[in-house]
Amino acid sequence: MTNHDNADKLISFLNSAHSVFHAVDRISRELDEAGFCALRESEAFRLEPGRSYYVKRNNSSLIAFRLPRKRFTSARLISAHTDSPVLKIKPSPIDTSSSAYSTLNVEVYGGLPLFSWFDRPLSIAGRVFTEGPDGLQEHLVDIDRDLVVIPSLAIHQNRQVNDGWKISVQKEMKPVLSAQVLSTDFPSLLSRQLKLAENVRLLDYDLYLYSRTPASVWGLDGEFISAGRLDDLMCLWAAFEAFKASGPSSYLQLAAFFDNEEVGSGSRQGALSDFLVTTYRRILSALGFSYDESCAAAASSMMLSADNGHALHPNYTEKCDPTNRPVINGGVLIKYAANQKYATDGCTASWLKSLMNRKSIKYQSFANNSDVTGGSTLGNLSAQRLSIPCVDIGLAQLAMHSAWESAGVSDIDSLLSLFSAFLED
Ligand code: CO
């Protein structure tokens, strides 16, 4: 059997990270325990060499960094994204138009295969905002029990279901909440579920559905892991674990975890925002670097941007590139794209291969089939704001963006080894 200690730890992380806000909260709590000092963007950065810090934006993106004891001339950056494609609950969502049930009105966040959300237990997680004696407050919410289901239509009522089925999110994907016609509004219903005090009013929320199907390690040798949100919490977890465990080095070590990758990164807290560049500049400015010195340090730095990529699919081998055929447990993906959707080039990839060869870390190359449009990721977007040489990497997976994705157990170990080597080398 494949050793799955790290897969078990990843599953424990996934079970605590049912929304983007929970993922960032879990990371920040672990950083607190590890002695990192929390900074606020709204206050001046006061930093001491040899110490470690983190800063959040919107409670859905987070940058952590560890300062060397001595003055540094370059940085090592790792990045991943905190969000995954999900269904988001709209305002005023309770729909009783069937006259027999209460359903929830939802919309799609990111690109997801809709069929994968039918007929499985779902729940609700995210954050709510309340007003009460203590003023406006933000609270994490995870209902954490089987709460809603999106039932599919019986085959007898849709004989064409196996011939290709165009799904209307608005009509067909309203999750069923109750077998009654509810007369209450959603904030009141949530307030009761959350047992809010009488004098506390729920004003608004950012709430998402998540799959309750438990994560699993499976396969003849236990070589696969399946769960929701492996893209990109698998890479994020490995990056975070390696970053947390790393000791101080001669580099500025920085880990950036961005929200909103699945909707193009163009938000206040996404990879296209100024979060990374302002944090980087503020760190160097607080340490007394001149503008010129901080530009020189950026040019001497290196970044690994980690996001999952597609493995060769046994039933659709024609979708894969004919000569770059990444496999599950084949090691870390180095991702290439001529259109620069991946920031990797021959120079940065050679640098990384040299490191991985020295450390005996398995790797493989990923390129899109030339007739199949690929996705995009973080590397080239953050490089538009803070230009640091970058390699786009990831892990091979199947069923990307499904409610239950599959990947390789020993690939997690390869990625952890790479991040540790990269930060400390
Ligand atoms: Co991704």
Side-chain angles (χ1 to χ4, degrees):
M1 288 291 277
T2 309
N3 177 308
H4 55 82
D5 291 353
N6 284 322
D8 291 344
K9 289 181 197 160
L10 168 61
I11 288 172
S12 150
F13 177 77
L14 292 169
N15 287 340
S16 70
H18 288 153
S19 81
V20 65
F21 306 108
H22 288 83
V24 168
D25 179 65
R26 162 94 183 230
I27 289 171
S28 56
R29 280 187 289 115
E30 286 195 31
L31 290 173
D32 291 336
E33 282 165 24
F36 281 64
C37 177
L39 300 170
R40 287 172 180 274
E41 284 201 284
S42 54
E43 293 168 4
F45 283 12
R46 290 187 221 292
L47 309 177
E48 285 173 41
R51 294 200 61 193
S52 304
Y53 302 85
Y54 72 92
V55 57
K56 293 192 274 189
R57 186 178 280 189
N58 188 46
N59 289 332
S60 64
S61 292
L62 181 148
I63 295 175
F65 56 94
R66 183 180 284 115
L67 300 176
R69 292 196 186 90
K70 295 194 190 129
R71 196 164 174 91
F72 56 88
T73 53
S74 65
R76 291 281 164 93
L77 292 83
I78 55 182
S79 74
H81 64 89
T82 56
D83 62 323
S84 302
V86 281
L87 295 168
K88 184 169 199 279
I89 299 176
K90 289 186 192 173
S92 308
I94 296 179
D95 185 333
T96 56
S97 56
S98 67
S99 304
Y101 301 89
S102 294
T103 60
L104 292 176
N105 188 5
V106 296
E107 61 183 317
V108 169
Y109 172 90
L112 52 88
L114 299 171
F115 66 85
S116 68
W117 284 76
F118 285 89
D119 302 330
R120 61 170 72 232
L122 306 169
S123 193
I124 292 173
R127 64 179 179 182
V128 299
F129 294 87
T130 59
E131 186 175 41
D134 300 325
L136 282 177
Q137 301 268 331
E138 178 176 341
H139 314 263
L140 286 172
V141 169
D142 184 349
I143 303 292
D144 205 19
R145 67 180 174 90
D146 296 354
L147 183 72
V148 296
V149 165
I150 306 172
S152 65
L153 186 61
I155 192 166
H156 316 83
Q157 294 167 316
N158 180 10
R159 291 285 182 191
Q160 285 76 47
V161 66
N162 294 328
D163 302 332
W165 165 32
K166 180 158 172 41
I167 300 170
S168 160
V169 177
Q170 192 61 68
K171 175 177 166 52
E172 296 174 82
M173 295 204 64
K174 286 178 293 192
V176 177
L177 173 68
S178 172
Q180 293 173 37
V181 174
L182 299 173
S183 54
T184 177
D185 64 14
F186 192 61
S188 312
L189 192 129
L190 268 179
S191 300
R192 281 202 298 280
Q193 285 288 319
L194 302 175
K195 301 187 172 66
L196 295 183
E198 285 283 305
N199 56 354
V200 174
R201 191 161 158 232
L202 196 153
L203 292 178
D204 216 323
Y205 52 84
D206 296 302
L207 292 172
Y208 303 86
L209 300 187
Y210 69 91
S211 167
R212 298 272 301 163
T213 308
S216 172
V217 170
W218 58 278
L220 191 59
D221 294 311
E223 67 270 52
F224 294 97
I225 175 172
S226 290
R229 307 180 310 287
L230 286 179
D231 173 15
D232 190 28
L233 293 186
M234 191 176 188
C235 289
L236 181 146
W237 178 81
F240 177 64
E241 286 296 308
F243 180 81
K244 203 176 53 166
S246 174
S249 72
S250 56
Y251 308 104
L252 164 67
Q253 298 171 342
L254 189 148
F257 302 125
F258 296 110
D259 191 9
N260 300 132
E261 192 276 339
E262 298 294 358
V263 290
S265 297
S267 66
R268 193 175 75 85
Q269 56 279 344
L272 271 175
S273 74
D274 67 353
F275 188 32
L276 178 60
V277 67
T278 53
T279 303
Y280 174 82
R281 298 236 183 277
R282 291 178 73 177
I283 295 167
L284 275 74
S285 148
L287 295 171
F289 283 64
S290 69
Y291 180 75
D292 191 56
E293 288 167 330
S294 79
C295 293
S300 316
S301 297
M302 186 63 87
M303 177 160 172
L304 295 184
S305 161
D307 196 0
N308 279 359
H310 307 297
L312 173 72
H313 194 300
N315 301 338
Y316 303 90
T317 53
E318 75 283 2
K319 293 288 181 188
C320 196
D321 184 67
T323 60
N324 295 282
R325 297 165 83 78
V327 292
I328 297 287
N329 294 326
V332 177
L333 296 183
I334 302 178
K335 299 158 84 175
Y336 299 84
N339 63 10
Q340 299 298 299
K341 292 284 187 196
Y342 302 133
T344 314
D345 61 28
C347 179
T348 56
S350 298
W351 184 91
L352 187 67
K353 284 179 179 177
S354 166
L355 171 68
M356 289 200 279
N357 290 341
R358 268 187 283 128
K359 304 284 181 179
S360 303
I361 298 166
K362 278 176 25 177
Y363 58 87
Q364 48 189 344
S365 55
F366 174 88
N368 289 304
N369 179 302
S370 303
D371 296 333
V372 178
T373 313
S376 63
T377 181
L378 303 164
N380 78 320
L381 300 181
S382 39
Q384 291 173 30
R385 294 288 180 275
L386 180 63
S387 299
I388 288 178
C390 180
V391 189
D392 268 300
I393 59 167
L395 294 180
Q397 70 159 100
L398 298 166
M400 186 178 284
H401 293 187
S402 167
W404 214 60
E405 305 172 303
S406 296
V409 163
S410 64
D411 280 339
I412 303 169
D413 305 340
S414 299
L415 190 58
L416 269 168
S417 303
L418 168 58
F419 282 133
S420 300
F422 175 75
L423 290 168
E424 292 177 356
D425 179 55

